[in-house]
Amino acid sequence: MPALILEAIAQSSPVTDPQGRIERYDLRLLPALPASLHGGELQGLRLRGGFSLDISWRNGVVEAYVVHNPFDRKYRIVH
């Protein structure tokens, strides 16, 4: 699957403190989903920060997701 489509399904961005240290990651689910992908599911989508994501959606809305966090890093789901 092209990286552009994967970025439309999920994005991970580091949030830093004033000294530039990463405090957490903001995970955005379906931030720019094309209309042609109104429904689907992915398993094992790798995200910045070492996360992986299992996600399913229908009519452009998340139905279910699981964030795998093997490094126990802080994160926040952002809509």
Side-chain angles (χ1 to χ4, degrees), residues 23-53:
E23 292 183 333
R24 70 170 189 275
Y25 288 83
D26 281 351
L27 307 182
R28 289 175 181 79
L29 307 181
L30 307 181
L33 191 67
S36 61
L37 290 177
H38 60 275
E41 69 178 67
L42 279 177
Q43 293 183 343
L45 176 59
R46 301 287 298 185
L47 300 173
R48 183 179 299 134
F51 304 99
S52 71
L53 177 68

Side-chain angles (χ1 to χ4, degrees), residues 33-79:
L33 191 67
S36 61
L37 290 177
H38 60 275
E41 69 178 67
L42 279 177
Q43 293 183 343
L45 176 59
R46 301 287 298 185
L47 300 173
R48 183 179 299 134
F51 304 99
S52 71
L53 177 68
D54 300 338
I55 186 171
S56 63
W57 67 95
R58 182 180 305 237
N59 297 321
V61 177
V62 174
E63 287 190 321
Y65 67 90
V66 175
V67 176
H68 302 278
N69 186 3
F71 302 109
D72 199 31
R73 295 189 168 133
K74 293 181 183 178
Y75 69 91
R76 176 179 70 163
I77 302 297
V78 178
H79 299 282

